[in-house]
Coordinates of all heavy atoms in Angstrom, one line a residue:
S249 N 116.4 106.2 120.9 CA 115.9 105.9 122.2 C 115.1 104.6 122.2 O 115.1 103.8 123.1 CB 115.1 107.1 122.8 OG 116.0 108.2 122.9
L250 N 114.2 104.5 121.2 CA 113.4 103.3 121.1 C 114.3 102.1 120.9 O 114.0 101.0 121.6 CB 112.5 103.4 119.8 CG 111.4 104.4 119.9 CD1 110.7 104.5 118.6 CD2 110.4 104.1 121.0
Q251 N 115.3 102.1 120.1 CA 116.2 101.0 120.0 C 116.9 100.7 121.3 O 117.1 99.5 121.7 CB 117.2 101.3 118.9 CG 116.6 101.5 117.5 CD 117.6 102.1 116.5 OE1 118.7 102.4 116.9 NE2 117.2 102.1 115.3
Y252 N 117.4 101.7 121.9 CA 118.2 101.6 123.2 C 117.3 100.9 124.2 O 117.8 100.1 125.0 CB 118.6 103.0 123.7 CG 119.4 102.9 124.9 CD1 120.7 102.4 124.9 CD2 119.0 103.4 126.1 CE1 121.5 102.4 126.0 CE2 119.8 103.4 127.2 CZ 121.0 102.9 127.2 OH 121.8 102.9 128.3
L253 N 116.0 101.2 124.3 CA 115.1 100.6 125.2 C 114.7 99.2 124.8 O 113.9 98.5 125.5 CB 113.9 101.5 125.5 CG 114.2 102.8 126.1 CD1 113.0 103.7 126.2 CD2 114.8 102.6 127.5
G254 N 115.0 98.8 123.6 CA 114.7 97.4 123.1 C 113.2 97.4 122.8 O 112.5 96.3 122.9
A255 N 112.6 98.5 122.3 CA 111.2 98.6 122.1 C 110.8 97.9 120.8 O 109.7 97.4 120.7 CB 110.7 100.0 122.1
Q256 N 111.7 97.9 119.8 CA 111.2 97.3 118.5 C 112.5 96.9 117.7 O 113.5 97.6 117.7 CB 110.5 98.4 117.7 CG 110.1 98.1 116.3 CD 109.1 97.0 116.3 OE1 108.2 97.0 117.1 NE2 109.3 96.0 115.4
A257 N 112.4 95.8 117.1 CA 113.4 95.3 116.2 C 113.5 96.1 114.9 O 112.4 96.6 114.5 CB 113.2 93.8 115.9
L258 N 114.6 96.3 114.3 CA 114.8 97.0 113.1 C 114.2 96.2 111.9 O 114.2 95.0 112.0 CB 116.2 97.4 112.9 CG 116.9 98.2 114.0 CD1 118.3 98.4 113.6 CD2 116.2 99.6 114.0
P259 N 113.8 96.8 110.8 CA 113.7 98.3 110.6 C 112.5 98.9 111.3 O 111.4 98.2 111.3 CB 113.7 98.5 109.1 CG 113.0 97.2 108.7 CD 113.4 96.1 109.6
L260 N 112.6 100.1 111.7 CA 111.4 100.8 112.3 C 110.5 101.4 111.2 O 111.1 102.0 110.3 CB 111.9 101.9 113.2 CG 112.6 101.5 114.5 CD1 113.1 102.7 115.3 CD2 111.7 100.7 115.4
K261 N 109.3 101.2 111.3 CA 108.3 101.7 110.3 C 107.9 103.1 110.8 O 107.3 103.3 111.8 CB 107.1 100.8 110.2 CG 107.5 99.4 109.7 CD 106.2 98.6 109.5 CE 106.5 97.2 109.0 NZ 105.3 96.3 108.9
V262 N 108.2 104.1 109.9 CA 107.9 105.5 110.3 C 106.9 106.0 109.3 O 107.1 106.0 108.1 CB 109.2 106.4 110.2 CG1 108.9 107.8 110.6 CG2 110.3 105.8 111.0
L263 N 105.8 106.6 109.8 CA 104.7 107.1 109.0 C 104.7 108.7 109.2 O 104.6 109.2 110.2 CB 103.3 106.6 109.5 CG 102.1 107.2 108.7 CD1 102.2 106.7 107.2 CD2 100.8 106.8 109.4
S264 N 104.9 109.3 108.0 CA 104.9 110.8 108.0 C 103.5 111.2 107.5 O 103.1 110.8 106.4 CB 106.0 111.4 107.1 OG 107.3 111.0 107.7
I265 N 102.8 112.1 108.2 CA 101.5 112.5 107.8 C 101.5 114.0 107.4 O 102.0 114.9 108.2 CB 100.5 112.3 109.0 CG1 100.6 110.9 109.4 CG2 99.1 112.6 108.5 CD1 99.8 110.6 110.7
V266 N 101.0 114.3 106.2 CA 100.9 115.7 105.8 C 99.5 115.9 105.1 O 98.8 114.9 104.8 CB 102.0 116.1 104.7 CG1 103.3 116.1 105.4 CG2 102.0 115.1 103.6
S267 N 99.1 117.1 104.9 CA 97.8 117.4 104.2 C 97.9 117.0 102.8 O 97.1 116.2 102.3 CB 97.5 118.9 104.3 OG 97.1 119.2 105.6
T268 N 98.9 117.5 102.0 CA 99.2 117.1 100.6 C 100.7 117.2 100.4 O 101.4 117.7 101.3 CB 98.5 118.0 99.6 OG1 99.1 119.3 99.6 CG2 97.0 118.1 99.9
L269 N 101.1 116.8 99.2 CA 102.5 116.9 98.8 C 102.7 118.1 97.9 O 103.5 118.1 96.9 CB 103.0 115.6 98.2 CG 103.2 114.5 99.2 CD1 103.6 113.2 98.4 CD2 104.2 114.8 100.3
W270 N 101.9 119.1 98.1 CA 102.0 120.4 97.3 C 103.4 120.9 97.5 O 104.0 120.8 98.6 CB 101.0 121.4 97.8 CG 101.1 122.8 97.2 CD1 101.1 123.1 95.9 CD2 101.3 124.0 97.9 NE1 101.2 124.4 95.7 CE2 101.4 125.0 96.9 CE3 101.5 124.4 99.2 CZ2 101.6 126.4 97.2 CZ3 101.7 125.7 99.6 CH2 101.7 126.7 98.6
R271 N 104.0 121.4 96.4 CA 105.4 121.8 96.4 C 105.6 123.1 97.2 O 105.2 124.2 96.7 CB 105.9 122.0 95.0 CG 106.0 120.7 94.2 CD 106.6 121.0 92.8 NE 106.5 119.8 92.0 CZ 107.4 118.8 92.0 NH1 108.4 118.8 92.9 NH2 107.2 117.7 91.2
C272 N 106.0 122.9 98.4 CA 106.2 124.1 99.4 C 107.2 123.7 100.4 O 107.8 122.6 100.3 CB 104.8 124.4 100.0 SG 104.2 123.0 101.0
G273 N 107.5 124.6 101.3 CA 108.6 124.4 102.3 C 108.4 123.2 103.1 O 109.4 122.4 103.2
P274 N 107.2 122.9 103.7 CA 107.1 121.7 104.5 C 107.3 120.4 103.7 O 107.9 119.4 104.2 CB 105.6 121.8 105.0 CG 105.4 123.3 105.1 CD 106.1 123.8 103.9
T275 N 106.9 120.4 102.5 CA 107.1 119.2 101.6 C 108.6 119.0 101.4 O 109.1 117.9 101.4 CB 106.4 119.3 100.3 OG1 105.0 119.4 100.5 CG2 106.6 118.1 99.4
S276 N 109.3 120.1 101.2 CA 110.8 120.0 101.0 C 111.5 119.5 102.3 O 112.4 118.7 102.2 CB 111.4 121.4 100.6 OG 110.9 121.9 99.4
V277 N 111.0 119.9 103.4 CA 111.5 119.4 104.7 C 111.3 117.9 104.8 O 112.2 117.1 105.1 CB 110.9 120.2 105.9 CG1 111.3 119.5 107.2 CG2 111.3 121.6 105.9
L278 N 110.0 117.5 104.5 CA 109.7 116.1 104.6 C 110.5 115.3 103.6 O 111.0 114.2 104.0 CB 108.2 115.9 104.2 CG 107.7 114.5 104.1 CD1 107.9 113.7 105.4 CD2 106.2 114.5 103.7
E279 N 110.7 115.8 102.4 CA 111.5 115.1 101.4 C 113.0 114.8 101.9 O 113.5 113.8 101.8 CB 111.6 115.8 100.1 CG 112.4 115.2 99.0 CD 112.5 116.0 97.8 OE1 111.5 116.7 97.4 OE2 113.6 116.0 97.1
G280 N 113.5 115.9 102.5 CA 114.9 115.8 103.1 C 115.0 114.7 104.2 O 116.0 114.0 104.3
I281 N 113.9 114.6 104.9 CA 113.9 113.6 106.0 C 113.9 112.2 105.5 O 114.7 111.3 105.8 CB 112.8 113.9 107.0 CG1 113.0 115.2 107.7 CG2 112.7 112.8 108.0 CD1 111.8 115.7 108.6
V282 N 112.8 111.9 104.7 CA 112.6 110.5 104.3 C 113.7 110.0 103.3 O 114.0 108.8 103.3 CB 111.2 110.3 103.7 CG1 110.1 110.7 104.7 CG2 111.0 111.2 102.4
R283 N 114.2 110.9 102.5 CA 115.3 110.5 101.6 C 116.6 110.1 102.3 O 117.4 109.4 101.8 CB 115.6 111.6 100.6 CG 114.5 111.8 99.5 CD 114.9 112.7 98.4 NE 116.0 112.1 97.6 CZ 116.6 112.7 96.6 NH1 116.3 113.9 96.3 NH2 117.5 112.1 95.9
G284 N 116.7 110.7 103.5 CA 117.9 110.4 104.3 C 117.8 109.1 105.1 O 118.8 108.7 105.7

């Protein structure tokens, strides 16, 4: 949607914020997102 509206040229900088990278479910979810 941001690209479609012409809001920002690529690449888009995405910041993911978490408490820590302790090995748990949320960290696994985050890993799957950023690695993709």
Side-chain angles (χ1 to χ4, degrees):
S249 298
L250 290 173
Q251 297 170 350
Y252 182 68
L253 294 174
Q256 174 67 40
L258 298 177
L260 293 174
K261 296 181 180 180
V262 184
L263 178 66
S264 299
I265 307 170
V266 293
S267 292
T268 69
L269 291 176
W270 175 57
R271 296 184 185 276
C272 59
T275 299
S276 297
V277 172
L278 174 60
E279 178 183 326
I281 294 172
V282 298
R283 289 191 67 183

